[in-house]
Amino acid sequence: MTHYIFNKLFSLLFFVFLLPGCNNPAPKNQGDTRISKIDSLKQAGFEIIDLHAHLKGGLTMEQLLEHSQKTGIKYGVAANCGVGFPVQNDSDLNKYYNSVKDYPVYHGMQAEGREWVNAFSPDTIALFDYVFTDALTYFDNKGRRTRLWMKDEVFVEDADSFMNYYVNQIVEILNNEPVNIYVNPTFLPEIIREKYDELWTEERMRKVIDALKENNIALEINARYKIPSAEFIKKAKEFDVKFTLGTNNGANDLGYLEYSLQMIEECRLEPGDFWKPKK
Ligand SMILES: [Zn+2]
């Protein structure tokens, strides 16, 4: 009898507590919670600027500005510039600049691949408020052009040798390319991503952080890939590296910078820890 009652009670509880949860849509105020988080950080003196947005996948500047209005996030919008990208030379870059220059956003240039340094003139680059790059594209130790987000272009025979080579690439890029921000930082290809904490050793973190500091380059806290780790960010702060917030949207997915904002709190960042374009 006791057993029967227990079973009945259990089924009842199951229906009352569990089932409705399965059918419920996300709470209506979810967007508002994320917006109030942005509001409260702004009240605490932070400027919430997403400096890594792209007009791609059909996203228009008008839609971006609407999202900005709704969320309170300011934007920096960047053209993807380099071999195989929509903007490949000075004339493309000028045309792009003229098409966006009157909009109330920061104007950025995402330098893609390593060839960009010679593909655009300093005068045209200077039209932009800032320039950033990532270290996802390079030639590997066998001379193969590697893009770390493309599975079939990534060869990892030994994770440690891969990391040593990759960290040297990052440092080379930061030492040699005239950029303001290092974006998609510490990104790992899918095949070794689970070992992030193990592979980003103290020594490797320090090499990247030293290069950022020496070259006065800010470190993006990327919301899409949730990188770098809190540990990396805390260490960078220790060495007085400046930060930016960025999404790197693929299309109409600008979002609310959740990971980046969470890191502000978790790593106890302060308004003075952030970099923004002068213009
Ligand atoms: Zn990007």
Side-chain angles (χ1 to χ4, degrees):
M1 188 60 189
T2 322
H3 193 213
Y4 174 80
I5 293 173
F6 181 78
N7 271 346
K8 276 282 164 211
L9 197 65
F10 181 78
S11 321
L12 192 68
L13 287 173
F14 181 80
F15 276 102
V16 170
F17 290 107
L18 295 180
L19 276 187
C22 299
N23 297 325
N24 266 1
K28 280 211 180 77
N29 66 350
Q30 204 178 356
D32 295 339
T33 316
R34 291 174 291 186
I35 291 168
S36 30
K37 169 83 156 239
I38 294 164
D39 273 349
S40 68
L41 283 166
K42 283 164 85 172
Q43 276 170 25
F46 290 91
E47 270 199 86
I48 305 300
I49 315 174
D50 183 338
L51 284 173
H52 194 167
H54 300 296
L55 297 179
K56 61 180 177 190
L59 181 72
T60 63
M61 189 67 99
E62 284 70 21
Q63 288 168 330
L64 178 136
L65 291 172
E66 213 173 283
H67 186 75
S68 169
Q69 194 83 37
K70 178 176 128 195
T71 58
I73 301 174
K74 282 191 206 167
Y75 280 94
V77 180
N80 297 91
C81 310
V83 173
F85 285 90
V87 174
Q88 306 221 15
N89 52 44
D90 250 17
S91 138
D92 294 342
L93 191 55
N94 265 294
K95 212 184 282 171
Y96 169 83
Y97 180 74
N98 284 314
S99 72
V100 296
K101 68 176 172 27
D102 295 326
Y103 287 100
V105 294
Y106 290 106
H107 300 294
M109 183 181 165
Q110 174 159 4
E112 304 277 3
R114 314 283 49 102
E115 306 88 350
W116 77 275
V117 180
N118 299 314
F120 305 99
S121 71
D123 284 351
T124 313
I125 295 173
L127 293 171
F128 289 80
D129 301 321
Y130 63 110
V131 181
F132 60 83
T133 196
D134 61 30
L136 302 191
T137 308
Y138 57 81
F139 291 95
D140 75 3
N141 60 351
K142 291 186 177 151
R144 297 171 285 210
R145 196 165 196 271
T146 303
R147 290 175 294 173
L148 293 184
W149 70 98
M150 304 286 281
K151 274 187 195 163
D152 57 347
E153 292 186 15
V154 174
F155 302 94
V156 181
E157 278 146 34
D158 171 77
D160 275 310
S161 332
F162 170 88
M163 285 303 292
N164 292 339
Y165 188 86
Y166 179 37
V167 168
N168 281 341
Q169 287 300 306
I170 298 171
V171 170
E172 279 285 296
I173 290 166
L174 300 176
N175 283 344
N176 292 300
E177 299 185 14
V179 297
N180 304 108
I181 316 168
Y182 167 41
V183 306
N184 303 322
T186 69
F187 179 97
L188 291 185
E190 207 178 323
I191 187 166
I192 52 170
R193 201 168 291 160
E194 273 188 1
K195 292 164 74 184
Y196 182 103
D197 290 328
E198 188 188 322
L199 293 175
W200 274 107
T201 59
E202 168 86 23
E203 192 192 345
R204 290 174 184 145
M205 289 196 279
R206 274 299 301 275
K207 280 188 178 170
V208 174
I209 289 167
D210 285 348
L212 288 166
K213 186 64 199 151
E214 267 164 38
N215 295 290
N216 222 2
I217 295 173
L219 176 66
E220 175 182 82
I221 304 176
N222 187 276
R224 175 174 172 182
Y225 298 118
K226 300 187 169 61
I227 44 178
S229 64
E231 199 189 343
F232 195 104
I233 294 168
K234 286 177 191 163
K235 198 155 294 291
K237 178 178 158 70
E238 238 174 76
F239 289 87
D240 202 27
V241 167
K242 299 296 176 215
F243 300 92
T244 63
L245 310 173
T247 292
N248 190 16
N249 60 305
N252 199 0
D253 51 351
L254 289 167
Y256 297 79
L257 286 168
E258 285 108 312
Y259 177 77
S260 317
L261 304 188
Q262 182 197 326
M263 285 302 112
I264 290 182
E265 291 179 344
E266 194 173 328
C267 304
R268 299 173 184 278
L269 302 182
E270 290 156 27
D273 291 326
F274 285 85
W275 180 87
K276 70 168 186 174
K278 285 204 182 71
K279 278 190 218 168

